[in-house]
Amino acid sequence: MSNSPRLLTPGPLSIALDIKERMLTDLGSRDVEFRAITEEIRRYLLEIAGGTNNYAAVPLQGSGTFAIEAALMTFVGAADKVLVCVNGTYGARMAAMLRRHRRDCSVLSFPATVPVDVDQVEQALETDQSITHICFVHCETTTGIVNPYRALLASARQRGVVSVVDAMSSFGALDIDAARDEFDILVSSGNKCVEAPPGIAFAVVHNGLLKRKTTHATTYSLDLYDQWLNFEQTREWRTTPPTHVAQALHSALIALHAEGVSARHTRYSANCERLIAGMRRLDFEPVLDHEVQSPICVAFRSDRHVPNARVFDDLYNHLRAAGIVIYAKFHEETRSLRIGCIGQIEDVWIDDALAAVEDFAGRQNGRLRSHRSGGQAALQGAPS
Ligand SMILES: *Cc1c(COP(=O)(O)O)cnc(C)c1O
């Protein structure tokens, strides 16, 4: 038995013991064994992305954001213009990065509960012919909404604009196939549906983009082209890799390959359905329509039990005391709390989380009732 908290978060997540155990071995970063592991990581990533023929996988040290920023810096130049589709935190973050690097961008925004609208994207591309790139998030983890990934990529291809996909929380669980979808750049990391520890992100890049002349990075660490070239020429990372995390990622990719993306999707969907059914009974509703709800994480709203961020903090701490960790922030726009369904989650974890939420809701009711009846007998009479 592990005494780790049970993570019901959309990354980092609870991972398998044998994957953690891989981190007990110290390897030299330029050693032949580590180079072989690096090669295999790159090969598995490509295979899972469906990009064995025309793509390259470029791992990068750091969290997912590092690889997003590296992709934008490397592949968006001063003469380019980017259309950024935003319906949550991570889309907005891409726009913020581009602005910080003084790249020209225009933002197409949607409410957090509405998927990116393909017609509006096409209209924007039609209206502004100077747009060279489009960025969007596959599964916007802010609410767990799935954006129309294939239709957006089809529009990008038709218009000849370069696509940059944030697939951080979808790679490994949602259907991604480079050969079929022909994205240009897709970015993800090890610590979401790949079920590895945090520390390594990666981009899957179409070979046609990997040319010095057409890349633009002005930083050393975030130059994905240079990182790629170095892997190709030496099989080594340019700077010290997280060697232990890389070994764990290697094991996690072997496990993902063995399980299969669609079986992993099914496993997460079962977690998600169990959670939604239980939360509904407690008067918490998902903020998304069923058709756009991913099995990655669910945003729940209950104006009765969790009306604001202050009460959310109490609920968070109540769950934490029960050994359960959910996403730590209340989402003001949708007034929701977020619970992850990914990782090595056991059914009993979800049942225990539901019991803890029920207990909390009961105490809340008790508190309200005693407040109304004059403030005595706080916490008394938790209803069934
Ligand atoms: C988690 C996440 C990120 C950011 O990844 P970090 O590892 O926290 O830097 C970006 N986009 C999406 C869709 C995510 O889910």
Side-chain angles (χ1 to χ4, degrees):
M1 262 299 274
S2 153
N3 56 5
S4 297
R6 298 161 165 184
L7 300 186
L8 298 180
T9 50
L13 17 93
S14 295
I15 59 179
L17 183 62
D18 61 324
I19 287 172
K20 287 186 272 206
E21 281 170 351
R22 271 298 290 280
M23 294 192 283
L24 296 172
T25 309
D26 306 317
L27 289 180
S29 63
R30 303 192 190 281
D31 177 71
V32 57
E33 185 178 347
F34 189 72
R35 288 202 303 205
I37 288 170
T38 298
E39 280 291 285
E40 281 205 29
I41 288 172
R42 295 186 64 216
R43 194 166 55 72
Y44 274 118
L45 289 174
L46 266 195
E47 207 170 295
I48 293 162
T52 356
N53 288 333
N54 299 313
Y55 289 80
V58 193
L60 183 71
Q61 300 93 327
S63 84
T65 305
F66 287 61
I68 297 274
E69 191 156 24
L72 295 175
M73 292 212 67
T74 304
F75 299 108
V76 179
D80 293 324
K81 180 162 185 187
V82 188
L83 178 66
V84 188
C85 307
V86 177
N87 58 346
T89 309
Y90 296 111
R93 187 179 285 175
M94 290 198 283
M97 286 174 188
L98 288 163
R99 287 196 198 100
R100 191 167 283 212
H101 296 295
R102 304 191 195 294
R103 292 295 180 254
D104 196 4
C105 74
S106 98
V107 172
L108 196 55
S109 287
F110 302 88
T113 51
V114 174
V116 172
D117 184 289
V118 182
D119 290 340
Q120 288 190 46
V121 166
E122 294 203 333
Q123 213 166 60
L125 295 177
E126 174 69 33
T127 310
D128 187 347
Q129 303 275 340
S130 67
I131 292 169
T132 52
H133 293 62
I134 179 173
C135 294
F136 68 90
V137 180
H138 186 186
C139 170
E140 178 52 87
T141 324
T142 307
T143 57
I145 197 167
V146 183
N147 282 317
Y149 155 90
R150 289 181 69 180
L152 288 168
L153 288 176
S155 303
R157 263 200 325 277
Q158 209 183 349
R159 297 267 166 190
V161 302
V162 176
S163 51
V164 183
V165 186
D166 173 347
M168 212 64 71
S169 64
S170 55
F171 186 92
L174 301 193
D175 182 24
I176 286 170
D177 183 349
R180 176 194 67 199
D181 310 327
E182 296 182 301
F183 52 76
D184 291 296
I185 302 145
L186 181 134
V187 178
S188 190
S189 77
N191 67 282
K192 289 187 177 170
C193 302
V194 175
E195 300 194 358
I200 297 176
F202 56 88
V204 178
V205 184
H206 194 279
N207 283 335
L209 291 169
L210 291 164
K211 298 188 175 79
R212 176 87 282 175
K213 278 195 295 237
T214 55
T215 65
H216 308 275
T218 52
T219 76
Y220 182 87
S221 321
L222 298 182
D223 185 342
L224 271 188
Y225 169 80
D226 211 35
Q227 182 89 341
W228 167 79
L229 192 65
N230 206 72
F231 282 129
E232 292 294 312
Q233 292 176 340
T234 69
R235 301 164 149 224
E236 291 173 8
W237 300 60
R238 286 182 300 163
T239 62
T240 305
T243 46
H244 303 84
V245 174
Q247 292 174 78
L249 174 61
H250 180 240
S251 280
L253 288 167
I254 292 170
L256 172 56
H257 191 260
E259 181 177 8
V261 169
S262 92
R264 187 158 290 190
H265 182 274
T266 304
R267 177 159 64 84
Y268 293 166
S269 296
N271 293 340
C272 181
E273 279 159 27
R274 191 179 192 91
L275 180 67
I276 289 177
M279 289 293 276
R280 280 213 162 109
R281 280 197 294 277
L282 302 174
D283 202 23
F284 286 78
E285 267 303 306
V287 303
L288 297 179
D289 288 342
H290 185 69
E291 312 82 76
V292 293
Q293 172 71 60
S294 71
I296 309 302
C297 76
V298 187
F300 290 102
R301 173 167 175 162
S302 173
D303 292 339
R304 180 151 80 102
H305 298 310
V306 185
N308 56 45
R310 191 186 51 73
V311 178
F312 170 76
D313 287 343
D314 292 343
L315 170 62
Y316 179 86
N317 288 323
H318 182 80
L319 287 168
R320 200 181 174 287
I324 295 153
V325 175
I326 64 171
Y327 191 80
K329 254 169 95 178
F330 187 71
H331 187 239
E332 291 290 348
E333 183 187 337
T334 57
R335 314 197 63 70
S336 69
L337 55 96
R338 280 75 58 80
I339 303 183
C341 310
I342 59 180
Q344 293 290 313
I345 293 174
E346 295 167 27
D347 286 351
V348 64
W349 296 16
I350 295 173
D351 298 344
D352 289 351
L354 292 167
V357 172
E358 182 167 18
D359 182 50
F360 178 82
R363 288 174 192 228
Q364 282 290 111
N365 279 347
R367 231 178 247 135
L368 286 176
R369 219 175 286 150
S370 74
H371 188 66
R372 276 191 213 111
S373 63
Q376 324 96 333
L379 299 191
Q380 190 218 15
S384 56

